[in-house]
Amino acid sequence: MAAEEPLRMPPLSDGGDEVLTWLKRMRDEQPLWADERGVQHVFRYDDVQAVMSDPARFSSNIGRVMPGFDPEQVSANLASQDPPEHRLLRQLVSQAFTPRTVTGLRPRIAEITRKLLDAAPEGEFDFVEHVAHPLPVTVIAELLGVSPGDRAFFRSCADALLGTRAEAVSAAEHAKALAEANKELQEYLSAEARRRRAGGSGGLIGALTAAELDGRRLTDLQVATFSGLLLTAGHITITLLLGNTLLALRDNPEAEARLRKDRSAVPAAFEESLRLRPPFHRVVRVSTRDVEVAGGVIPAHRLVMASTLSANRDDRQFPDPDRFDVDRRPNRHLGFGHGIHFCLGGPLARVETEIALNLLFDEFAELEVTGEPAFHDSEFYGPKQLTVSARR
């Protein structure tokens, strides 16, 4: 008798339709599931939220079970830290990356967006290539204080780190290319941090080097790591949010008509898009002890994958969860995480997306998604290519 085929999550590359069906099945029938590698997966809203809310039982330091990670890099990465070190790092970073900093970027974000829209080809064009991709990397480069002469290099690093593997390239070659791009970016950002400490021009990198709390300051590696995290995570988040929002409006034309007439509803539409299509569809933690979850037990020292994509569609939390509802109140989605690791870049993503959507409606009388989008098939949930037809 043939062995039973192991249960696997369908690929994301089809846009997620099969994945959504599979996730509903898992929520209903197998809310705690161990895959063939022993990785533990949770799917229901309350369980996903619990995993993200309890660093004592679910550590963010995956180096605990993956010894190949560089301990120095892990200790410098805010996203990999647990209390109490996480608290200190976050407070230091928050001194530099403030709400006022984000608010002050609004005029420049609008200017960059207008230039991108003005430069977009007439008729059909790839929205990701011409708008959603260049907008955040340009904004983040200027926010950090990257000199204009270095921005081509900065963008090339972002492209390499966020690109998908070509079919002709092996997984090993792709991993090597990613490691090289990350090393180059870290070296560049560390050098920028040293230059700021020596009296160079400011930007967010300069503010990060100057931040101080109880006599402690961020090291050059910590400054470089946070700056790199802002580039990679912030860039892909905003790129995918813009594309995913256009897809949501494609499927809900009545919502687009409403937003064009009532711009005050744009922020709520953004939150609903983030709920339905979170750019990072899961978070990873490590269990520090045996933990009871969803009627089962997660053993100690196991990787835990908490599906935000599944949690955000859980009908135990959201009525009619698959419907795009601009009037959904409350909307306690987990698209930006939860707990101590709630996304620091969330305010920037909200501002950029709000400005971009309003300017899209201003610039184009009609904006229609045409053809079939090409989707990412990795950790990212959303389109890597999105052809639109636009009429001014």
Side-chain angles (χ1 to χ4, degrees):
M1 184 174 177
E4 184 178 347
E5 181 71 18
L7 184 63
R8 289 191 177 93
M9 178 174 166
L12 291 165
S13 54
D14 71 343
D17 291 342
E18 286 188 54
V19 170
L20 295 177
T21 300
W22 185 84
L23 290 174
K24 177 170 174 42
R25 172 188 166 193
M26 300 304 285
R27 284 195 302 272
D28 292 342
E29 300 176 8
Q30 207 166 338
L32 174 62
W33 168 59
D35 65 25
E36 65 269 24
R37 300 169 298 162
V39 176
Q40 309 287 309
H41 298 254
V42 294
F43 302 100
R44 291 179 180 171
Y45 182 94
D46 287 347
D47 298 325
V48 171
Q49 186 182 62
V51 167
M52 291 193 288
S53 303
D54 191 348
R57 296 192 299 170
F58 298 101
S59 170
S60 295
N61 180 6
I62 62 175
R64 288 169 174 259
V65 295
M66 300 180 71
F69 278 68
D70 182 347
E72 188 178 17
Q73 286 286 343
V74 170
S75 66
N77 190 342
L78 179 65
S80 301
Q81 290 299 297
D82 299 319
E85 186 65 16
H86 172 272
R87 186 178 301 110
L88 175 63
L89 283 179
R90 185 155 180 136
Q91 287 176 337
L92 284 167
V93 167
S94 296
Q95 284 186 16
F97 190 42
T98 65
R100 174 179 287 186
T101 300
V102 174
T103 300
L105 290 171
R106 294 186 73 97
R108 182 59 181 146
I109 292 171
E111 182 181 359
I112 294 168
T113 306
R114 287 192 188 95
K115 288 182 178 179
L116 292 171
L117 295 179
D118 288 344
E122 294 292 330
E124 285 194 340
F125 63 91
D126 181 359
F127 178 74
V128 174
E129 177 185 353
H130 291 280
V131 181
H133 182 71
L135 172 60
V137 74
T138 304
V139 170
I140 292 169
E142 293 192 7
L143 169 64
L144 290 174
V146 174
S147 65
D150 290 340
R151 286 178 191 166
F153 163 76
F154 196 69
R155 178 167 176 173
S156 71
C157 288
D159 291 346
L161 290 169
L162 301 177
T164 53
R165 177 164 64 94
E167 292 183 4
V169 177
S170 70
E173 290 171 327
H174 183 62
K176 182 180 179 181
L178 289 179
E180 290 175 352
N182 186 62
K183 180 182 178 182
E184 288 182 2
L185 181 63
Q186 285 285 315
E187 290 175 348
Y188 171 83
L189 291 171
S190 293
E192 287 295 293
R194 291 192 295 271
R195 188 167 71 83
R196 299 305 198 280
R197 287 194 207 278
S201 57
L204 181 60
I205 294 177
L208 289 167
T209 61
E212 184 175 352
L213 182 66
D214 297 332
R216 284 194 58 179
R217 289 190 171 189
L218 296 168
T219 67
D220 292 342
L221 180 60
Q222 288 170 334
V223 171
T225 302
F226 176 75
S227 300
L229 180 66
L230 185 63
L231 170 64
T232 52
H235 182 193
I236 196 63
T237 296
I238 295 166
T239 296
L240 293 182
L241 275 174
L242 288 170
N244 283 340
T245 301
L246 288 194
L247 289 175
L249 297 179
R250 175 200 65 180
D251 297 335
N252 299 272
E254 73 288 349
E256 180 181 346
R258 175 179 170 182
L259 295 180
R260 285 182 176 274
K261 292 178 181 178
D262 179 13
R263 301 299 180 82
S264 68
V266 166
F270 161 81
E271 298 297 335
E272 185 69 341
S273 174
L274 182 55
R275 180 186 70 83
L276 284 171
R277 292 177 169 272
F280 290 92
H281 64 92
R282 62 190 179 190
V283 298
V284 184
R285 297 290 187 265
V286 176
S287 56
T288 61
R289 65 194 76 164
D290 291 357
V291 185
E292 292 187 10
V293 175
V297 175
I298 296 177
H301 313 304
R302 297 292 180 88
L303 280 177
V304 180
M305 301 285 189
S307 175
T308 53
L309 176 59
S310 177
N312 283 350
R313 299 218 181 207
D314 189 347
D315 59 8
R316 297 161 186 81
Q317 172 69 25
F318 301 100
D320 198 2
D322 296 323
R323 182 164 65 93
F324 183 81
D325 182 4
V326 175
D327 295 313
R328 190 178 295 278
R329 304 286 190 282
N331 191 352
R332 299 190 183 95
H333 64 77
L334 303 177
F336 279 147
H338 187 77
I340 65 171
H341 286 285
F342 186 82
C343 180
L344 263 175
L348 178 60
R350 288 186 167 103
V351 167
E352 282 194 58
T353 306
E354 176 195 342
I355 290 172
L357 286 176
N358 275 297
L359 289 176
L360 279 169
F361 293 149
D362 290 343
E363 185 74 15
F364 300 114
E366 294 180 4
L367 185 66
E368 179 185 2
V369 175
T370 56
E372 290 299 319
F375 292 93
H376 288 278
D377 58 1
S378 59
E379 295 301 308
F380 311 137
Y381 184 56
K384 60 182 179 181
Q385 183 178 10
L386 185 65
T387 302
V388 299
S389 175
R391 184 179 67 82
R392 299 182 190 274

